[in-house]
Amino acid sequence: MKQMIYFGILLGVIVIGFSSCARLFGGISKNKAAKNIETYLQREYKDELDFKNLNRFFNAATMNPNMFSVHIYNKKIPEIEFYTHINAKNILVNDTLPLYGSEKLTFNDLYKESINIYETKQAIRNDFKSSGLDVNFKIESIELIFKEDLTPQVLDNLIPKFMERLNQSYNELNSLYSQHLLIKTPQYPEGFIEIPLETHTQTWQIKDFLLSKKIQGFPSLQTKIEEKIGTNIREAFPYFKISNYRKIYLDKSSLSKAAWVQYLDDKRIKNDGEGKYQNPQKGLYILYFDLDTRHIYRGEMITDQNDTTSYEEEFNQIKNAIEAEGINAIYQQTN
């Protein structure tokens, strides 16, 4: 307990020292930075914009004690937003953004870009309203919210159309974050299906058809599946234990048949900091079940030497196994 207290005190001293160091190098206070940004926004945009999450961004890379990170947003339409770094001391006389280097972007350049992104998203939303679909853009996901429960046919028809429309706006919507589609329905309002997106030649392509861990009842399903896997491997593979990594493929033709791909750690491997690190994730086990009835069909060990295979070999092992079971959940990619 004392160690935790001492650690907390030390951390506090470091934070205070870091802030003081920035001030010693000529940095303005956070209050003064906030005042300057507020004055700038009011002068240039009246009551249109506001800001939050203002934090000093002084580090070895910038060596500028007046740099602050900030979240800018439109008061009436908060979805029009952007994050940037500002020299808060000079913002009233020079709104060029220092971290953009040779691009010489200004504050208003980023604001216009955020407006363009918002209008692009609105156009996509409007294109699919007649299909009974609401589209919600998040930082790392695009939510496709259906007003009625899905049939495989509806989903199979809509996904290619949505991807075609999304890729028409790839340049506007592409970001540094990985993206996936999250399918929501009245039965599964928090999430039903996740479809990761991969980038190929300036377009997004759909990859796997995965069951979302956000579905109602997922914890009980996970407990049931893991207990069954534990029972199945106890005699033949007693040295394996369930790891925290898994993928759950969902058959897109039925939206019910599923394959729980569970990675297993070898308990015999001890990485204690001495000697060369060994990858303990050697086992790959698949359990087949029905989502609607929660009935488990069977399980199989795909390999107990997964640490020696390449990503492509692992992918093909999984694909061949689940497709042999009649689960169609992996899209063919085109480059």
Side-chain angles (χ1 to χ4, degrees):
M1 184 65 181
K2 287 183 179 180
Q3 289 179 334
M4 292 297 294
I5 294 174
Y6 292 150
F7 178 76
I9 294 173
L10 178 61
L11 183 61
V13 170
I14 291 173
V15 171
I16 294 172
F18 184 80
S19 178
S20 300
C21 180
R23 294 292 302 278
L24 287 173
F25 277 94
I28 62 175
S29 69
K30 186 175 179 179
N31 288 338
K32 178 62 175 175
K35 183 63 177 177
N36 284 356
I37 295 173
E38 182 179 351
T39 301
Y40 172 80
L41 293 180
Q42 184 62 28
R43 185 186 75 188
E44 300 294 328
Y45 302 97
K46 305 305 178 188
D47 291 323
E48 190 173 341
L49 299 181
D50 205 347
F51 70 96
K52 58 184 177 181
N53 299 332
L54 179 67
N55 294 290
R56 193 182 299 275
F57 192 69
F58 176 65
N59 58 37
T62 64
M63 289 305 291
N64 186 338
N66 296 306
M67 288 291 291
F68 286 80
S69 62
V70 64
H71 177 185
I72 307 293
Y73 63 95
N74 185 291
K75 289 183 179 180
K76 292 184 178 179
I77 310 174
E79 192 177 348
I80 300 177
E81 62 179 352
F82 61 95
Y83 300 81
T84 190
H85 296 88
I86 290 174
N87 185 328
K89 184 176 182 179
N90 296 339
I91 186 66
L92 292 172
V93 295
N94 183 3
D95 62 359
T96 301
L97 303 173
L99 294 192
Y100 283 90
S102 60
E103 295 178 80
K104 301 296 182 183
L105 293 181
T106 65
F107 184 97
N108 197 54
D109 290 330
L110 291 194
Y111 183 42
K112 289 190 294 185
E113 181 181 336
S114 69
I115 293 174
N116 183 45
I117 290 173
Y118 170 76
E119 291 176 345
T120 299
K121 291 176 179 178
Q122 286 296 94
I124 293 175
R125 291 184 179 110
N126 291 334
D127 286 344
F128 287 90
K129 276 187 177 179
S130 61
S131 300
L133 179 69
D134 290 334
V135 182
N136 188 20
F137 291 88
K138 297 292 189 72
I139 293 178
E140 295 184 1
S141 67
I142 303 171
E143 297 179 349
L144 305 184
I145 307 168
F146 289 83
K147 298 176 182 178
E148 298 180 357
D149 286 325
L150 280 176
T151 64
Q153 292 74 21
V154 168
L155 195 59
D156 197 44
N157 288 333
L158 187 138
I159 291 296
K161 293 178 182 177
F162 183 81
M163 290 304 303
E164 181 180 3
R165 176 62 185 88
L166 188 67
N167 279 320
Q168 291 174 11
S169 303
Y170 177 86
N171 290 333
E172 292 84 354
L173 299 181
N174 185 36
S175 69
L176 297 177
Y177 297 95
S178 60
Q179 292 285 332
H180 66 269
L181 305 181
L182 178 62
I183 311 295
K184 294 185 174 183
T185 67
Q187 184 180 0
Y188 299 110
E190 299 302 317
F192 178 28
I193 303 164
E194 291 187 11
I195 305 176
L197 302 181
E198 288 189 340
T199 299
H200 293 274
T201 60
Q202 299 299 300
T203 60
W204 285 299
Q205 294 184 7
I206 50 183
K207 183 184 176 186
D208 304 326
F209 214 69
L210 304 176
L211 181 68
S212 173
K213 300 177 182 66
K214 296 181 179 181
I215 65 166
Q216 293 173 337
F218 182 79
S220 61
L221 174 64
Q222 180 178 356
T223 298
K224 182 177 182 179
I225 294 291
E226 290 183 350
E227 287 178 350
K228 183 62 175 176
I229 293 175
T231 299
N232 289 0
I233 67 174
R234 189 166 293 126
E235 291 187 7
F237 305 95
Y239 43 86
F240 275 133
K241 65 177 181 179
I242 291 172
S243 78
N244 293 324
Y245 186 55
R246 67 192 63 84
K247 288 183 179 180
I248 313 163
Y249 293 91
L250 186 66
D251 176 39
K252 63 180 181 177
S253 301
S254 65
L255 302 184
S256 182
K257 291 193 300 183
W260 185 292
V261 179
Q262 181 65 57
Y263 293 78
L264 305 174
D265 287 342
D266 192 327
K267 295 184 289 186
R268 298 170 297 183
I269 295 178
K270 306 293 183 183
N271 290 304
D272 53 9
E274 297 181 5
K276 186 178 179 180
Y277 174 83
Q278 298 182 66
N279 181 8
Q281 203 171 86
K282 301 180 67 172
L284 187 60
Y285 192 92
I286 303 182
L287 199 68
Y288 304 100
F289 68 100
D290 186 275
L291 178 63
D292 293 337
T293 64
R294 305 295 170 101
H295 173 65
I296 297 173
Y297 297 111
R298 69 179 186 90
E300 60 177 328
M301 179 71 79
I302 300 301
T303 179
D304 61 355
Q305 298 180 16
N306 196 52
D307 60 319
T308 63
T309 60
S310 66
Y311 172 81
E312 184 177 358
E313 289 172 325
E314 177 188 303
F315 173 82
N316 287 329
Q317 285 178 330
I318 294 173
K319 182 176 184 293
N320 293 337
I322 67 175
E323 290 184 353
E325 191 66 22
I327 295 173
N328 184 11
I330 297 177
Y331 285 82
Q332 298 296 324
Q333 300 297 323
T334 59
N335 294 311

